[in-house]
Amino acid sequence: MSYLDQITSPTLLINEKITRANLKRMADKASRHGKKLVPHWKTAQSHEIGNWAKEYGIREVTASSIKLAEYLCGQGWDNIHIAFPFNVREIDRLNRLAANKSLSVQVVNPVTAKKLADQLSERVGFYIEIDAGYGRTGVHISDFGTIEEILREAKKSDKLQFKGFYLHPGHTYYTPDKSGIYEQSRQALHMLKVKYQSEFPNLLTRVGDTPGCAVMEDFGDVDELGPGNFVFFDLMQAELGSCAKEDIAVCLAVPVVDINKERKEILIHGGGVHLAKDVLVDASGNKNFGEVVFLTESGWTIPSDRSYLKSISQEHGVIKASDSLMASVQIGDLLGILPVHSCMTADCMGEYLSLDGRKIDHCEGACWK
Amino acid sequence: MSYLDQITSPTLLINEKITRANLKRMADKASRHGKKLVPHWKTAQSHEIGNWAKEYGIREVTASSIKLAEYLCGQGWDNIHIAFPFNVREIDRLNRLAANKSLSVQVVNPVTAKKLADQLSERVGFYIEIDAGYGRTGVHISDFGTIEEILREAKKSDKLQFKGFYLHPGHTYYTPDKSGIYEQSRQALHMLKVKYQSEFPNLLTRVGDTPGCAVMEDFGDVDELGPGNFVFFDLMQAELGSCAKEDIAVCLAVPVVDINKERKEILIHGGGVHLAKDVLVDASGNKNFGEVVFLTESGWTIPSDRSYLKSISQEHGVIKASDSLMASVQIGDLLGILPVHSCMTADCMGEYLSLDGRKIDHCEGACWK
């Protein structure tokens, strides 16, 4: 029986071969440059995909929340890093988790460092997150006063162990000229390493975005690479030049429920609750919530004439269809939709279906909240 | 112990008093106009909130998918209507469900009507969804050929029972002058009733959007009102004039993880995976992903000087804070965020916490997929 026969409602498909190729390519790149790859597992959020990753030498992962860290425990990771400014309301939860697991957290202010130093009952590592221009979160690269106050607070505890500096230059997603950002990231982390290495000889630096890690070839003296999205990629990454559409490893299988010949539109069961509402907007203001691929027994093929989701609501999606798609599509067909933002789509869907018809776990599906 | 003491991570709060007031107001309005209120339960997706609704005379609900219909079964509803163009891949699932439950579905083309007529083993009602100008889905109001073909196909089966016409004028969400749309909706349904009532004397008509049902005072000869969002309302509805911000019945409690005094920004744990990514954009292009309220022992208060979420990513939210919020906020505090689109936020969160500290069910949390 084909995996396609199992599908009656919106279902997130994963192509294992593409996923493994993405993991291998990034692992090879890290290895070629002598860097440690610590992928951000907020994209895959899966034990089984974690086991694939381990085959390419990946030994540590990053979580986006303590909930995801809890899910990932017991799976043999050498360390789980929670790459979100630590939330002091979760110290008890962190203590419980750290009793049996090597963990690290992210700290961006002295208040949090002090609370951790006061209340940690278990050893936990920490990175200081640095903002070198993105402006979302982190201690500003020039704010040595705050960095040193954090380090001073941490020293009061034998539980809270400084590991190094973490940088997520998320503005690579928005800035056309990315080379300036890469240079800025390398320089920032190099400067911090030079400044603090005598006091902390094992200090590590990590840089974390997929557009950068996919394209950069000079990582300077950065120690660790922490991209997340590269495991699956998506249309946003394809538009940024991080990947080809052929590298996208997940697609949402959706049933066709109506066809409007006049408007050349196809109505699918597949909306914001399945794909999330991330959108690409072209220069003329046209919105694209996902692109159509043709499902086959062995995966999917990308048509040369593009059909795309022009609008979505909670459960509905409207495809603007090419002439060739209009000529062949029938009510009851399944189409595939390449997502704009695969991390969010996987989070909405909560599980995957492999092309050999197996369900593959995802944190949301298995451990709600 | 206050409900606030339970919260360590993003949590969706529900104010029962406001929810009940919203249910009562719409039920009273329907009753005043002699209409039957059949709320779209894609917003609440909850058994417990369903029990509140029953206290205001509500006996039937609408689901957005067969999955939600399955969840709602066994809860004493007189009928569950699945208000999404029926997906022919789910006929077996529909037959199983209809064996023990009065159900109705929505049909927008003869292909689907024929498959249902051929394959239904249980009695199921259906509405024909009409498009009177929204342009998302439904048979165009002028397309009598298609309406009659659907009715012809349905007559071939003694299982598929025509109930009437359903209209969701979703363009009330986008059109400043709504009165024209209300008039168009009333006229369209009236015309269909006049045309088909001799053949189908029990024919019903239903109109379904919250902005319309909240504001309209003349529903003409429409029989049933089917709004959904009114149970909770949200910032989008407040902006549309359907409600006041004080009528919004849910808010996301989020922990403060960092404060940037220079930029007057507050970083919270609360992003697209919690709120969804619906956004309001003002005339100057400023984005608003949610607005800050102050949490209290008995609920929340809306400050007079507005602070709002200026950006969100997967787990991060950045609040542009008012001076008074900046003066009082501390790392580790909880803030409340009124959502832009409550249906999507509830779907992301998968459960509610009541103000007396009880967990309240939601379909996503209880029956994944």
Side-chain angles (χ1 to χ4, degrees):
Chain A
M1 195 174 86
S2 159
Y3 75 95
L4 291 166
D5 301 325
Q6 297 183 31
I7 303 175
T8 60
S9 59
T11 302
L12 187 60
L13 302 176
I14 182 167
N15 184 316
E16 179 174 343
K17 201 169 148 189
I18 299 176
T19 309
R20 283 179 175 272
N22 292 341
L23 285 162
K24 182 172 190 306
R25 195 183 315 109
M26 194 63 84
D28 286 349
K29 184 172 196 175
S31 158
R32 197 163 66 237
H33 290 277
K35 312 301 181 193
K36 186 199 273 184
L37 175 60
V38 186
H40 203 317
W41 221 237
K42 70 173 181 176
T43 305
Q45 301 193 39
S46 167
H47 298 327
E48 175 156 351
I49 303 170
N51 289 336
W52 304 347
K54 289 171 198 157
E55 294 181 33
Y56 305 101
I58 294 164
R59 302 291 320 149
E60 299 183 23
V61 281
T62 294
S64 47
S65 65
I66 199 157
K67 178 184 96 170
L68 178 56
E70 286 165 350
Y71 183 66
L72 296 173
C73 272
Q75 298 295 311
W77 298 111
D78 290 349
N79 184 74
I80 298 171
H81 176 63
I82 305 170
F84 189 87
F86 188 75
N87 163 10
V88 296
R89 292 186 161 252
E90 287 173 334
I91 296 182
D92 289 349
R93 212 166 157 183
L94 180 66
N95 275 325
R96 285 195 295 276
L97 208 60
N100 299 304
K101 184 75 214 163
S102 169
L103 294 177
S104 49
V105 298
Q106 212 136 294
V107 174
V108 297
N109 56 61
V111 173
T112 304
K114 182 174 182 348
K115 292 213 174 172
L116 282 166
D118 288 349
Q119 296 174 38
L120 274 184
S121 59
E122 307 292 336
R123 274 175 89 125
V124 169
F126 78 97
Y127 286 75
I128 297 177
E129 183 176 0
I130 295 296
D131 176 8
Y134 179 26
R136 180 178 70 177
T137 176
V139 181
H140 194 270
I141 181 68
S142 65
D143 187 0
F144 297 111
T146 298
I147 291 173
E148 277 157 32
E149 212 180 326
I150 291 171
L151 292 172
R152 224 168 18 243
E153 291 295 344
K155 269 186 210 153
K156 295 176 186 165
S157 157
D158 61 344
K159 304 293 187 223
L160 190 55
Q161 313 259 311
F162 181 53
K163 291 183 79 170
F165 296 100
Y166 182 104
L167 181 62
H168 174 71
H171 46 334
T172 52
Y173 283 79
Y174 310 104
T175 313
D177 172 26
K178 296 178 180 28
S179 61
I181 298 176
Y182 305 151
E183 185 54 30
Q184 197 181 39
S185 303
R186 274 193 305 266
Q187 289 289 339
L189 290 173
H190 173 70
M191 180 272 286
L192 290 168
K193 186 179 268 191
V194 169
K195 188 168 166 65
Y196 292 99
Q197 207 167 23
S198 60
E199 192 180 354
F200 300 97
N202 297 321
L203 181 156
L204 298 167
T205 56
R206 186 186 300 182
V207 69
D209 67 311
T210 285
C213 292
V215 175
M216 274 169 90
E217 282 298 336
D218 174 8
F219 295 95
D221 62 359
V222 166
D223 299 293
E224 301 177 334
L225 309 184
N229 181 282
F230 77 97
V231 180
F232 296 154
F233 286 122
D234 52 33
L235 290 178
M236 198 186 295
Q237 297 290 346
E239 183 159 296
L240 288 166
S242 317
C243 69
K245 287 182 188 170
E246 287 73 12
D247 299 323
I248 300 174
V250 289
C251 99
L252 187 74
V254 292
V256 170
V257 295
D258 199 26
I259 298 167
N260 188 305
K261 286 186 182 154
E262 265 175 45
R263 292 199 298 255
K264 295 188 179 173
E265 288 177 359
I266 297 168
L267 186 71
I268 56 166
H269 186 195
V273 298
H274 310 103
L275 286 161
K277 290 199 172 172
D278 293 85
V279 60
L280 296 172
V281 184
D282 71 14
S284 324
N286 298 311
K287 291 181 174 178
N288 171 4
F289 292 91
E291 288 183 18
V292 173
V293 294
F294 296 132
L295 300 177
T296 67
E297 296 293 315
S298 58
W300 54 83
T301 58
I302 301 175
S304 55
D305 49 348
R306 195 177 75 116
S307 300
Y308 65 98
L309 269 178
K310 59 166 255 195
S311 67
I312 57 175
S313 39
Q314 192 165 342
E315 304 265 354
H316 297 74
V318 178
I319 291 170
K320 192 76 194 164
S322 68
D323 289 339
S324 60
L325 177 56
M326 281 306 291
S328 65
V329 70
Q330 299 200 4
I331 289 167
D333 281 358
L334 288 178
L335 294 173
I337 305 290
L338 295 180
V340 171
H341 189 173
S342 59
C343 316
M344 291 290 293
T345 303
D347 200 85
C348 284
M349 293 304 295
E351 71 179 12
Y352 311 88
L353 183 68
S354 71
L355 302 179
D356 55 358
R358 285 177 309 112
K359 290 197 173 175
I360 292 185
D361 71 291
H362 179 290
C363 171
E364 289 295 309
C367 70
W368 193 265
K369 286 276 142 327
Chain B
M1 194 175 85
S2 160
Y3 74 96
L4 291 167
D5 301 327
Q6 296 183 30
I7 303 176
T8 61
S9 58
T11 301
L12 187 60
L13 303 175
I14 182 167
N15 184 317
E16 179 174 342
K17 201 170 148 189
I18 298 176
T19 309
R20 283 178 175 273
N22 292 341
L23 284 162
K24 182 172 190 308
R25 194 183 315 110
M26 194 63 83
D28 287 350
K29 183 173 195 175
S31 158
R32 196 164 67 238
H33 291 277
K35 311 301 180 192
K36 186 199 275 186
L37 175 60
V38 186
H40 202 316
W41 221 238
K42 71 173 180 175
T43 305
Q45 301 192 38
S46 167
H47 298 326
E48 176 155 351
I49 303 170
N51 289 336
W52 305 348
K54 288 171 199 158
E55 294 181 33
Y56 305 99
I58 294 164
R59 302 290 321 150
E60 300 184 22
V61 280
T62 294
S64 47
S65 65
I66 199 158
K67 176 183 98 171
L68 179 56
E70 285 165 350
Y71 183 67
L72 295 173
C73 272
Q75 298 296 310
W77 298 111
D78 290 348
N79 183 73
I80 298 171
H81 176 64
I82 305 170
F84 189 86
F86 189 75
N87 163 11
V88 295
R89 292 186 162 251
E90 287 173 335
I91 295 181
D92 288 348
R93 212 166 158 183
L94 180 66
N95 275 325
R96 285 195 295 275
L97 208 60
N100 298 303
K101 184 74 214 161
S102 168
L103 294 178
S104 49
V105 298
Q106 211 136 292
V107 174
V108 297
N109 56 61
V111 174
T112 304
K114 181 173 181 353
K115 292 213 174 174
L116 283 165
D118 288 348
Q119 296 174 38
L120 274 183
S121 59
E122 307 291 335
R123 274 174 87 125
V124 169
F126 78 97
Y127 286 74
I128 297 177
E129 184 176 0
I130 295 296
D131 176 8
Y134 180 26
R136 181 179 69 176
T137 176
V139 181
H140 194 270
I141 180 68
S142 64
D143 186 1
F144 297 110
T146 298
I147 291 173
E148 277 156 33
E149 210 179 326
I150 291 171
L151 293 173
R152 224 167 17 244
E153 291 295 344
K155 269 187 211 153
K156 296 178 187 165
S157 157
D158 61 343
K159 304 293 188 222
L160 189 57
Q161 313 259 311
F162 181 53
K163 291 183 77 170
F165 295 100
Y166 182 103
L167 181 63
H168 174 71
H171 46 334
T172 52
Y173 282 79
Y174 310 105
T175 313
D177 172 27
K178 296 178 181 28
S179 59
I181 298 175
Y182 305 151
E183 186 52 30
Q184 197 180 39
S185 303
R186 274 193 306 266
Q187 289 289 341
L189 290 173
H190 173 69
M191 179 272 286
L192 290 168
K193 186 179 267 190
V194 169
K195 188 168 167 65
Y196 290 100
Q197 208 167 24
S198 58
E199 190 179 358
F200 300 98
N202 298 320
L203 181 157
L204 298 167
T205 56
R206 187 185 299 182
V207 69
D209 67 310
T210 285
C213 292
V215 175
M216 273 169 92
E217 282 298 337
D218 174 8
F219 295 95
D221 63 359
V222 165
D223 300 293
E224 301 177 334
L225 308 184
N229 181 282
F230 78 97
V231 180
F232 296 154
F233 286 123
D234 52 33
L235 290 178
M236 198 187 295
Q237 297 289 346
E239 184 159 294
L240 289 166
S242 317
C243 69
K245 288 182 189 172
E246 287 73 11
D247 299 323
I248 300 174
V250 290
C251 99
L252 186 74
V254 292
V256 170
V257 296
D258 198 26
I259 298 167
N260 189 306
K261 286 185 181 154
E262 264 174 46
R263 292 199 297 255
K264 296 188 180 172
E265 288 178 359
I266 297 168
L267 186 71
I268 56 165
H269 186 195
V273 298
H274 310 102
L275 286 161
K277 289 199 171 172
D278 293 86
V279 61
L280 296 172
V281 184
D282 71 14
S284 324
N286 297 312
K287 291 180 174 177
N288 172 3
F289 293 91
E291 288 184 18
V292 173
V293 294
F294 296 133
L295 300 177
T296 67
E297 296 293 316
S298 58
W300 54 82
T301 58
I302 301 175
S304 55
D305 49 348
R306 194 178 75 116
S307 300
Y308 64 98
L309 269 178
K310 59 166 256 195
S311 66
I312 57 175
S313 38
Q314 191 164 344
E315 302 265 354
H316 297 75
V318 178
I319 292 170
K320 192 77 194 167
S322 69
D323 289 339
S324 60
L325 176 57
M326 281 306 292
S328 66
V329 70
Q330 299 200 3
I331 289 166
D333 281 359
L334 288 178
L335 295 173
I337 305 290
L338 296 180
V340 171
H341 189 174
S342 60
C343 316
M344 291 291 293
T345 303
D347 199 85
C348 284
M349 294 303 294
E351 71 179 12
Y352 311 87
L353 183 69
S354 71
L355 302 179
D356 55 357
R358 286 177 308 112
K359 289 196 174 175
I360 291 185
D361 71 293
H362 179 290
C363 170
E364 290 295 309
C367 69
W368 193 266
K369 282 283 140 324

